[in-house]
Amino acid sequence: MNIPNHFGDTLAISLSALCSIHCLATPVLLTLVPSLTGLVLLDEGFHRWLVLAVVPCSILSLGLGCRKHQSISVLLYGIIGIVLMLTLLVFDHEVLGETMERAVSLLASLFIAGAHWQNYRLCQQYDCSCD
């Protein structure tokens, strides 16, 4: 049974985008509507759950794709994004500061989304089905 690899890329791009939106929207929402502070989606734990979802999805999808198309740059961009995201799990906003945490989070999301976009495009060329 052949399973298309694009599902993992699409999921990782979506989760990375959700992470970026969460990172950018949380301060604005909390400023505009302070009563949202108890909402689970605005909690720091939500960001951790996103990271824990993106990392395995990225490793699997990029690994399967890169095995077929052999693009080292895709793998490198993905690894940089994953390392940055994992760094955020270790060094949170209390160590990095709010602004640096947001910057690193956005940068990590861009690296991961870019790697998956390139992986998706290359997999269309090289038929990266999971056999």
Side-chain angles (χ1 to χ4, degrees), residues 23-39:
C23 186
L24 294 172
T26 299
V28 174
L29 285 174
L30 290 177
T31 302
L32 295 175
V33 188
S35 62
L36 292 177
T37 55
L39 191 63

Side-chain angles (χ1 to χ4, degrees), residues 4-94:
N5 192 43
H6 70 273
F7 175 75
D9 290 321
T10 304
L11 180 61
I13 290 169
S14 300
L15 290 172
S16 293
L18 184 60
C19 187
S20 295
I21 291 167
H22 175 262
C23 186
L24 294 172
T26 299
V28 174
L29 285 174
L30 290 177
T31 302
L32 295 175
V33 188
S35 62
L36 292 177
T37 55
L39 191 63
V40 174
L41 294 176
L42 299 179
D43 187 59
E44 273 300 309
F46 181 73
H47 190 234
R48 286 186 187 95
W49 283 107
L50 278 174
V51 170
L52 293 175
V54 168
V55 170
C57 178
S58 291
I59 291 170
L60 180 63
S61 183
L62 292 175
L64 290 172
C66 289
R67 187 182 75 195
K68 296 275 186 160
H69 57 67
Q70 303 290 315
S71 175
I72 299 300
S73 64
V74 169
L75 194 57
L76 181 63
Y77 289 138
I79 289 170
I80 290 170
I82 289 169
V83 167
L84 288 172
M85 280 201 162
L86 292 175
T87 300
L88 290 172
L89 286 180
V90 176
F91 303 109
D92 59 2
H93 64 274
E94 292 179 13

